[in-house]
């Protein structure tokens, strides 16, 4: 049978390693394997939603939880005061590579705007 788990579901299930920095009932946060800033974390819901445009009303609570969890992680990791950027890449033009919703948390340097 084809294994159609995303890489983030494999991390969630302990099938591939990741440096996990935060976990709660609904989400997991770990270091990006290819960091684009001194601190680059991925905040991933345990229940897979493919992307923002695949989310429905039933996912609203989970989406809110992820936003609040990003601030919890920022405080725990010490970059709440210095600041950070939250990025969601949605679809091909957004640069989405993994079809499992995730928030990029980028911190540790002054980020430019607009992004490339
Ligand atoms: P996106 O382009 O928004 O879908 O982001 C996918 C992200 O997942 C990229 O920043 C990758 O570097 C990251 N990534 C891919 N595989 C892994 C992995 N095994 N562990 C941690 N991060 C990963």
């Amino acid at each position: 049978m084809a294994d159609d788990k995303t890489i983030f579901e494999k991390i969630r299930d302990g099938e591939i390693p990741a440096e996990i920095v935060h976990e709660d009932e609904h989400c997991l946060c770990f270091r990006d394997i290819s960091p684009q800033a001194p601190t680059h974390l991925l905040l991933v819901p345990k229940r897979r939603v493919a992307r923002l445009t695949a989310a429905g009303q039933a996912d609203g609570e989970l989406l809110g939880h992820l936003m609040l969890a990003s601030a919890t992680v920022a405080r725990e990791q010490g970059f709440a005061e210095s600041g950070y950027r939250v990025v969601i890449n949605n679809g091909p033009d957004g640069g989405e590579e993994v079809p499992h919703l995730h928030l990029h948390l980028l911190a540790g340097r002054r980020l430019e705007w607009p992004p490339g």
Side-chain angles (χ1 to χ4, degrees), residues 7-8 11 16-19 30-36 40 42 87-90 94-100 102-104:
I7 199 156
F8 297 157
I11 288 173
I16 60 172
E19 191 183 338
F30 49 87
R31 294 195 191 281
D32 196 293
I33 204 167
S34 177
Q36 302 302 311
H40 185 172
L42 299 175
V87 173
I88 298 175
N89 296 327
N90 192 99
E96 175 195 308
E97 289 175 3
V98 179
H100 183 146
H102 50 285
L103 278 58
H104 294 258

Side-chain angles (χ1 to χ4, degrees), residues 1 4 10 12 27 32 34 42-43 48 51 56 71-72 77 87 92 95 97 105 107 110 113 116:
M1 198 175 93
D4 58 1
K10 290 178 183 173
R12 175 197 67 193
C27 64
D32 196 293
S34 177
L42 299 175
L43 184 60
R48 182 183 172 216
R51 61 191 58 80
T72 300
Q77 295 293 313
V87 173
E97 289 175 3
L105 309 185
R110 186 64 62 95
W113 190 263

Side-chain angles (χ1 to χ4, degrees), residues 23-110:
E23 181 171 8
D24 66 28
E25 187 186 350
H26 300 295
C27 64
L28 200 59
C29 188
F30 49 87
R31 294 195 191 281
D32 196 293
I33 204 167
S34 177
Q36 302 302 311
T39 300
H40 185 172
L41 306 174
L42 299 175
L43 184 60
V44 176
K46 290 183 173 176
R47 174 170 66 79
R48 182 183 172 216
V49 175
R51 61 191 58 80
L52 276 183
T53 47
Q57 283 299 325
D59 301 310
E61 201 168 326
L62 180 61
L63 297 183
H65 181 84
L66 291 170
M67 290 295 172
L68 293 172
S70 84
T72 300
V73 170
R75 286 190 287 271
E76 288 175 352
Q77 295 293 313
F79 56 79
E81 293 300 323
S82 53
Y84 62 108
R85 183 169 293 167
V86 179
V87 173
I88 298 175
N89 296 327
N90 192 99
D93 280 358
E96 175 195 308
E97 289 175 3
V98 179
H100 183 146
L101 182 68
H102 50 285
L103 278 58
H104 294 258
L105 309 185
L106 299 150
R109 67 174 168 84
R110 186 64 62 95

